[in-house]
Amino acid sequence: MALVTFTKKGIYCRQGDFYIDPWLPVDYAVITHGHGDHVRFGNKHYLCHTLTGPIIRQRISTDLQVETQDYGKTVTRNGVKISFFPAGHIIGSAQVRLEYQGEIWVISGDYKTEYDGISTPFEPVRCHAFVSESTFGLPVYKWQKQDVIFNQVKSWIADNRQRDKTSVLIAYSLGKAQRLIKNLAGDMPIYVHNSIANLNEALEQAGVHLPETIRITADTRKEELKSGIVIVPSAMRNSRWLKNLSGPVTGICSGWMQVRAHRRWQSADAGFALSDHADWPGLLEAIKATGAEKIYVTHGFTATFSRFLNENGFDAKEVITRYGDDEAEIKLDTPEKTTNQELTN
Amino acid sequence: MKRFAKLIQQLELSNKTNDKIEALVHYFNFTDDKDKVWVIALFTGKKPRRPVKAALLRQWVKELTQLPDWLFTESYHNVGDLSETIALLLPPAEQLSDHPLHQWIESLHELEGKDDEQKKQFILHAWNSLEPQERFIFNKLISGNFRIGVSNKMLVNALAKQSNTDSSQIMHSIMGKWDPYQITFQELIQGVHVNTDNSWPYPFCLAYALDTEPEKLGAPDEWQAEWKWDGIRGQIVKRAGELFIWSRGEELVTEQFPELWFLQDMLPDGTVLDGEILAAKNRQVLPFSVLQQRLNRKKISKKQLEEAPIGFFVYDLLEYQGQDYRSQPLSERRKKAEELLSALDDDSPVNLSPIISCSSWGELAALRETSRSVNSEGVMLKKRDSLYHSGRKRGDWWKWKINPYTVDTVMIYAQKGSGRRANFFTDYTFAVRDGENLITIAKAYSGLTDQEIREVNTFVTKNSLEKFGPVRTVRPELVFEIAFEGIAASKRHKAGIALRFPRILRWRKDKNVSEINTLTDLQQLLQSTLEQPGDETN
């Protein structure tokens, strides 16, 4: 019997009787990070990294039974040693390492190998079996260094300012927003949407230091926003509020923006290929570093990526999960109300 | 090249015409004259000859990246564009350099005649000195396909604005025959070449579709009504003893239509006719499917000449005795055209496209219903006092087409689109019922709103039965009404039938798969179109 199996409810460890990032309610859930497709409502007990605790409480409910642990520390359940290692995806994101009678599994959750300036950098962990995401598991997805991308963003903002426009960046409230704040802070005030401001507060209370931002309220003046940088989640991108700003221009930060067709499908004015997931070389490098004999490929280009691994000396298998793609809302789920007209104008 | 790469980026980011024109003007203000000429050439479809085959590029990329062929293909399907796929797959450049656009084009030109190894060296070196966006452009220079949403008109407007020149003069100039290797930007703007070159055609005057009741156009006697023919719009130019036949796509097609060569002797110098190239016998227009046998052929057999004879139905006279006649009213142009062509025999393949005489809109509406019986697709309405405009202009000319044929079908395959729609299932294959089975009848990739595309996309993702590369077989459930302009027998299609211009008219959410049309329905339609006008009484 393998230490880990893939079941209808999620990734399951029978020996320890717990699930990792289950999509249906279970008694004991080990959580990799705070994005909605990895941590869901309804589990009796949550075990996660120290910084993911306040995120879960803020995003799901304060009324949860959450147990937290630092990177590298061990929790034991029925002989199975559970420990967290940095995944570099967002603040508090962790790979879950399981060890039982010498057999070691690592479940990656989501990860990226480049240091983003705010999440604890990714750390490869030696194991026998590695469960890897594959969101960008295609060789056309190779990121440029984040400095290069941020320089593009900054010059876009400067250009907008010169043309008397308001710069609006669309970003996931958890993760991407904080990364932008951290890397763009300095020259101009940063205005953030409520959902981002709330998360920032929760993180600050947990001891994360974030640059200063200003919460957007009903009283915030349009002129004020024009002299700063505005960051809002994607739900706001077609909102009346945004359209009524003074000359709004929108920029999307997502790995999918690497490809022209995806950029053009957007109604946004600019796309920046800034991702919180590993790119193709990142995935390969991470997998190699684990030394694992067995690779399980989850959410993303599962078929392509596992075939490539198999052709290159790994023993890889596709696994169907219900994890989404936190950068894909930008790709597919534009709000229902968007009409053809709005997309083509 | 960096400047050009930036221009392309700006053009792609905006959907607003004014932004694009602004970007073009800005570019033309600050760029090397030689580069400007090439940008005009590329955007108007003057491709440099492809110096390196796509297959070779693909092979070199695979060598450089050590990627297997199937993975290259998967990548291509995700990206939707070969030049871009290559640009993204290549390893990062090691020594960046910046050469102007025309220099790259000239260097590529010099590759002609060199062996593959020399070509490879040059291309690999270039890739290694360009940033990803520039590499994409460079690859596009090799393939020559610059389709980035800049119409000729937009380009001309930008050039007119930037150079303070009349836009029709520029349109004229860039539509003529010129060689980007020879001409200077100033010469091109001033149209120096147009006077010395006899072949140049005029920009076609185009009509908008009539979107109101014809009654709203005023009195019927202010309008000239003609059949709207379904052939190849063309211009016949006779100057200085030479004859040129231009198609609407601004291509010279003189060689393809020997039936019309006699005009070289018959037409006086300084004559330009606008009309329709059609398959026609005894001045009766034949179905488009007959004309098709004659298109894009290098050699024409005797049999083809007999079975698919060509005619030219004249609509208009644009130049007469060397004078630009376009600012004369239509009634005057028509009169002169009648004079000019009066010498033609009754059985000549060239004739004036007849005017439909009618005394009321109601009468015309009734005649329009009979369009299909003369192989016409409706009626054209032209104001009698209208000038011959360059391009599309609202108000003076209208096309009043009859409704297309329609057929209810079910979707059976879906494929991801390309370009803007890569990553969405946007290309669909449709089937009708053939006894117990479904048989493919048409492929279409337009006609749905972005919202509907998303819905279909979700359906396809959830209802895929099989996967062949980028194609998914889907559960036959979604019913679509397909509109089409014509129907022809075809040996290449399994159904034995080919539809012309099929497109999705609407998604019939109210129908289920048991209600779709049958192959027999379509076979009957085909038979009815093959009967010649007048045959009905037999």
Side-chain angles (χ1 to χ4, degrees):
Chain A
M1 191 69 208
L3 183 58
V4 168
T5 50
F6 301 94
T7 71
K8 271 188 216 154
K9 291 182 180 175
I11 302 173
Y12 182 53
C13 174
R14 182 175 300 272
Q15 177 61 33
D17 192 22
F18 58 84
Y19 288 83
I20 295 104
D21 292 353
W23 44 82
L24 293 176
V26 301
D27 287 348
Y28 196 104
V30 180
I31 300 300
T32 60
H33 66 289
H35 279 151
D37 52 330
H38 290 261
V39 51
R40 292 170 203 249
F41 179 76
N43 298 309
K44 284 197 185 137
H45 185 94
Y46 294 81
L47 172 67
C48 61
H49 178 258
T50 314
L51 287 178
T52 302
I55 294 172
I56 298 183
R57 286 211 172 86
Q58 204 279 322
R59 287 175 56 112
I60 301 184
S61 162
T62 45
D63 191 25
L64 296 177
Q65 192 184 321
V66 179
E67 176 190 353
T68 61
Q69 192 53 270
D70 286 341
Y71 292 127
K73 300 277 167 56
T74 301
V75 174
T76 308
R77 262 182 76 80
N78 199 23
V80 181
K81 290 184 196 161
I82 309 168
S83 51
F84 294 121
F85 288 84
H89 175 56
I90 59 170
I91 293 175
S93 68
Q95 307 173 72
V96 176
R97 179 185 184 275
L98 307 179
E99 183 179 347
Y100 180 70
Q101 292 181 352
E103 182 181 352
I104 301 168
W105 282 64
V106 171
I107 293 99
S108 76
D110 290 336
Y111 66 97
K112 73 169 171 290
T113 47
E114 187 191 13
Y115 176 52
D116 63 10
I118 189 156
S119 321
T120 312
F122 175 84
E123 203 178 292
V125 183
R126 303 285 295 179
C127 56
H128 300 108
F130 184 58
V131 182
S132 175
E133 63 140 320
S134 63
T135 309
F136 291 104
L138 209 57
V140 289
Y141 296 102
K142 281 184 293 190
W143 313 141
Q144 290 188 284
K145 291 259 172 287
Q146 79 160 12
D147 297 352
V148 176
I149 308 280
F150 277 115
N151 282 335
Q152 287 170 8
V153 178
K154 285 175 187 164
S155 79
W156 176 76
I157 292 169
D159 190 46
N160 294 338
R161 195 166 193 187
Q162 214 174 10
R163 292 166 55 215
D164 204 27
K165 307 271 188 190
T166 308
S167 302
V168 183
L169 289 166
I170 315 280
Y172 208 93
S173 303
L174 170 60
K176 197 66 67 65
Q178 289 76 28
R179 184 176 178 191
L180 292 175
I181 292 165
K182 177 83 181 186
N183 288 283
L184 294 174
D187 309 339
M188 296 163 89
I190 297 178
Y191 294 85
V192 296
H193 182 258
N194 249 336
S195 64
I196 300 172
N198 290 343
L199 265 167
N200 289 355
E201 268 176 19
L203 288 167
E204 299 230 298
Q205 276 168 19
V208 177
H209 175 71
L210 286 169
E212 195 185 314
T213 51
I214 304 161
R215 185 191 290 261
I216 301 170
T217 66
D219 299 330
T220 313
R221 285 167 35 247
K222 287 182 196 171
E223 283 308 304
E224 216 182 307
L225 295 178
K226 192 153 67 175
S227 63
I229 302 167
V230 179
I231 304 178
V232 298
S234 65
M236 296 295 292
R237 58 185 297 207
N238 290 300
S239 64
R240 181 162 302 215
W241 175 81
L242 200 156
K243 288 199 181 95
N244 285 338
L245 292 180
S246 166
V249 281
T250 51
I252 289 180
C253 300
S254 151
W256 297 108
M257 297 299 110
Q258 176 88 336
V259 168
R260 271 164 68 240
H262 302 162
R263 289 200 295 272
R264 295 174 69 191
W265 179 259
Q266 302 304 319
S267 47
D269 299 297
F272 303 100
L274 185 77
S275 178
D276 284 328
H277 293 266
D279 60 359
W280 172 265
L283 289 169
L284 292 175
E285 178 197 319
I287 284 169
K288 219 182 262 171
T290 63
E293 296 140 19
K294 190 93 192 159
I295 312 295
Y296 295 92
V297 180
T298 64
H299 61 303
F301 290 98
T302 46
T304 310
F305 192 51
S306 51
R307 177 170 172 189
F308 181 82
L309 291 176
N310 279 323
E311 287 181 6
N312 285 273
F314 295 92
D315 182 3
K317 223 175 157 171
E318 265 184 87
V319 177
I320 294 172
T321 59
R322 288 206 208 155
Y323 305 130
D325 166 2
D326 48 279
E327 301 197 2
E329 74 209 286
I330 285 162
K331 197 179 66 169
L332 281 173
D333 296 337
T334 37
E336 291 295 308
K337 275 182 212 146
T338 310
T339 62
N340 191 25
Q341 198 61 27
E342 283 171 307
L343 280 174
T344 48
N345 276 346
Chain B
M1 186 98 127
K2 287 198 193 310
R3 208 186 288 268
F4 184 58
K6 173 104 183 156
L7 171 69
I8 297 286
Q9 216 162 11
Q10 285 173 332
L11 292 174
E12 285 192 326
L13 274 178
S14 181
N15 293 316
K16 301 183 188 93
T17 306
N18 283 342
D19 287 355
K20 291 188 182 189
I21 290 185
E22 194 192 321
L24 285 163
V25 169
H26 183 84
Y27 177 81
F28 286 124
N29 271 335
F30 292 100
T31 302
D32 189 278
D33 273 3
K34 278 187 170 171
D35 280 8
K36 291 180 199 169
V37 171
W38 271 109
V39 169
I40 298 167
L42 294 170
F43 285 2
T44 54
K46 279 193 173 12
K47 306 179 186 183
R49 205 180 313 156
R50 183 189 260 279
V52 185
K53 283 191 203 131
L56 278 176
L57 296 179
R58 208 178 147 133
Q59 186 190 319
W60 299 336
V61 173
K62 281 187 284 179
E63 281 173 28
L64 279 174
T65 57
Q66 295 290 307
L67 292 175
D69 193 61
W70 66 268
L71 191 51
F72 186 97
T73 306
E74 288 281 334
S75 298
Y76 170 65
H77 286 311
N78 184 263
V79 173
D81 180 288
L82 185 67
S83 298
E84 190 186 357
T85 309
I86 292 175
L88 290 173
L89 287 177
L90 290 169
E94 288 166 325
Q95 56 225 72
L96 294 179
S97 62
D98 191 19
H99 301 298
L101 176 68
H102 70 270
Q103 205 171 314
W104 281 116
I105 293 175
E106 279 157 21
S107 309
L108 282 169
H109 182 64
E110 283 162 16
L111 287 184
E112 263 184 60
K114 299 212 168 141
D115 63 35
D116 286 357
E117 194 46 44
Q118 286 167 307
K119 288 180 181 178
K120 182 176 173 181
Q121 256 181 16
F122 174 81
I123 301 283
L124 263 48
H125 183 74
W127 280 340
N128 200 22
S129 66
L130 295 168
E131 294 191 75
Q133 170 76 4
E134 297 173 86
R135 276 177 182 168
F136 162 64
I137 309 274
F138 175 76
N139 294 342
K140 283 278 169 201
L141 290 178
I142 301 174
S143 74
N145 292 322
F146 267 96
R147 290 178 56 183
I148 42 141
V150 175
S151 66
N152 283 358
K153 189 141 190 175
M154 195 186 289
L155 177 67
V156 165
N157 286 343
L159 285 168
K161 196 169 162 189
Q162 193 265 336
S163 64
N164 237 329
T165 315
D166 180 48
S167 61
S168 66
Q169 184 189 323
I170 294 180
M171 176 70 94
H172 213 139
S173 171
I174 65 169
M175 262 187 76
K177 218 180 197 175
W178 50 279
D179 180 355
Y181 289 105
Q182 303 289 336
I183 203 162
T184 68
F185 180 67
Q186 281 315 317
E187 286 167 348
L188 184 58
I189 291 301
Q190 287 158 10
V192 176
H193 59 294
V194 214
N195 301 326
T196 51
D197 175 0
N198 294 324
S199 75
W200 55 272
Y202 294 93
F204 283 93
C205 177
L206 305 173
Y208 275 98
L210 185 63
D211 47 9
T212 60
E213 295 304 312
E215 282 77 9
K216 298 224 170 103
L217 298 179
D221 61 4
E222 288 172 23
W223 294 84
Q224 172 174 314
E226 301 164 23
W227 294 116
K228 185 180 185 317
W229 301 116
D230 181 17
I232 307 288
R233 183 88 178 269
Q235 254 178 60
I236 293 185
V237 177
K238 164 77 191 292
R239 292 194 192 105
E242 279 188 286
L243 186 80
F244 305 92
I245 306 174
W246 288 88
S247 78
R248 158 95 192 274
E250 289 157 33
E251 247 182 312
L252 264 179
V253 292
T254 321
E255 296 309 309
Q256 286 182 45
F257 305 112
E259 289 96 332
L260 306 178
W261 293 348
F262 77 96
L263 291 172
Q264 184 163 8
D265 299 324
M266 186 258 156
L267 289 176
D269 276 336
T271 304
V272 178
L273 300 171
D274 173 14
E276 196 89 8
I277 301 165
L278 293 158
K281 210 170 208 168
N282 305 327
R283 297 203 170 172
Q284 299 285 353
V285 175
L286 305 174
F288 185 82
S289 53
V290 180
L291 175 63
Q292 248 171 343
Q293 303 167 27
R294 290 287 303 272
L295 300 181
N296 301 319
R297 291 192 188 274
K298 289 233 166 73
K299 275 184 188 154
I300 307 145
S301 69
K302 212 175 153 195
K303 190 165 160 248
Q304 282 164 338
L305 280 172
E306 270 166 24
E307 286 179 359
I310 291 296
F312 188 76
F313 280 48
V314 177
Y315 293 140
D316 218 318
L317 177 67
L318 311 189
E319 184 176 308
Y320 181 62
Q321 295 180 336
Q323 301 291 314
D324 183 347
Y325 232 56
R326 294 176 298 160
S327 51
Q328 297 285 331
L330 171 64
S331 50
E332 188 58 32
R333 301 198 306 271
R334 179 83 190 185
K335 214 167 87 192
K336 276 279 178 292
E338 279 169 13
E339 276 175 37
L340 187 69
L341 301 179
S342 60
L344 291 173
D345 297 333
D346 280 349
D347 59 352
S348 166
V350 177
N351 64 281
L352 267 166
S353 188
I355 289 174
I356 308 173
S357 65
C358 65
S359 54
S360 72
W361 291 121
E363 195 184 329
L364 183 64
L367 283 165
R368 171 173 160 267
E369 293 303 320
T370 68
S371 302
R372 294 227 196 269
S373 68
V374 290
N375 285 318
S376 147
E377 52 179 5
V379 167
M380 287 294 301
L381 295 171
K382 298 175 182 172
K383 203 132 194 240
R384 289 188 194 276
D385 61 4
S386 63
L387 316 182
Y388 192 92
H389 300 288
S390 294
R392 230 176 267 279
K393 188 168 179 296
R394 286 188 86 83
D396 280 348
W397 286 23
W398 298 101
K399 49 186 175 192
W400 191 23
K401 288 169 78 165
I402 38 168
N403 297 326
Y405 297 108
T406 62
V407 58
D408 287 334
T409 64
V410 66
M411 188 214 286
I412 54 170
Y413 303 120
Q415 186 174 353
K416 288 189 176 174
S418 60
R420 195 175 81 104
R421 288 172 163 182
N423 258 27
F424 280 86
F425 290 99
T426 57
D427 299 8
Y428 315 126
T429 304
F430 301 98
V432 290
R433 231 142 24 84
D434 178 22
E436 292 296 296
N437 302 319
L438 291 170
I439 189 156
T440 302
I441 193 69
K443 237 183 128 168
Y445 49 88
S446 65
L448 292 183
T449 62
D450 286 353
Q451 178 59 42
E452 286 174 318
I453 288 175
R454 279 195 207 99
E455 279 183 57
V456 175
N457 198 68
T458 310
F459 174 85
V460 172
T461 325
K462 289 186 182 153
N463 292 280
S464 294
L465 302 174
E466 287 169 287
K467 179 178 170 183
F468 304 102
V471 180
R472 301 282 180 285
T473 314
V474 296
R475 214 175 287 285
E477 274 175 23
L478 303 189
V479 176
F480 291 88
E481 187 175 348
I482 302 297
F484 56 100
E485 296 302 321
I487 183 165
S490 164
K491 282 183 195 133
R492 273 188 305 168
H493 297 79
K494 205 172 149 198
I497 278 177
L499 305 184
R500 180 159 141 77
F501 285 147
R503 71 261 179 199
I504 302 167
L505 191 61
R506 61 193 138 229
W507 182 355
R508 298 299 301 257
K509 292 182 178 173
D510 56 319
K511 289 199 171 184
N512 69 45
V513 65
S514 66
E515 298 172 81
I516 62 172
N517 281 97
T518 62
L519 185 59
T520 319
D521 296 339
L522 287 170
Q523 283 160 345
Q524 279 167 1
L525 178 65
L526 173 64
Q527 274 314 310
S528 70
T529 61
L530 291 178
E531 284 153 16
Q532 286 297 311
D535 279 1
E536 287 123 295
T537 48
N538 295 344

